[in-house]
Amino acid sequence: VYYEIEESFRGQGYGRGLFRLGLEEAKRLGRAEVLITCYESNIPSRHLIESSGGVLVSSCLLSNSLQPDRFLKFKIFLT
């Protein structure tokens, strides 16, 4: 699942709302956990994931771009 919040609407809770709806739907579908990713440089996304119970399970350096960044993978338990 990918979502992006238009810049003029950021900081108003829309991302958090979409994120929570996605977690609720995953739980409704019987998922016990979900994997969620973001780039290390995306501080707001990382904060949202971690504040929702996300636990970092792995990271890797993406060096094939003009600006190297780390790709982070988190796990959230839905129980």
Side-chain angles (χ1 to χ4, degrees):
V1 174
Y2 173 84
Y3 67 92
E4 184 175 344
I5 305 302
E6 176 71 36
E7 194 168 331
S8 62
F9 291 99
R10 292 179 187 165
Q12 299 179 42
Y14 292 111
R16 185 167 298 279
L18 283 170
F19 192 81
R20 287 194 176 151
L21 285 172
L23 294 179
E24 289 172 13
E25 182 65 9
K27 190 173 184 177
R28 187 187 73 74
L29 293 170
R31 303 294 303 184
E33 62 191 43
V34 294
L35 293 174
I36 300 176
T37 61
C38 73
Y39 291 105
E40 187 174 48
S41 62
N42 189 341
I43 303 301
S45 183
R46 182 175 184 172
H47 180 264
L48 174 60
I49 294 167
E50 291 176 332
S51 69
S52 298
V55 176
L56 183 65
V57 293
S58 68
S59 69
C60 65
L61 180 62
L62 300 176
S63 59
N64 60 345
S65 65
L66 296 176
Q67 294 181 327
D69 202 350
R70 294 195 77 76
F71 192 67
L72 309 177
K73 185 190 299 183
F74 296 86
K75 186 179 284 189
I76 296 180
F77 297 94
L78 301 176
T79 55

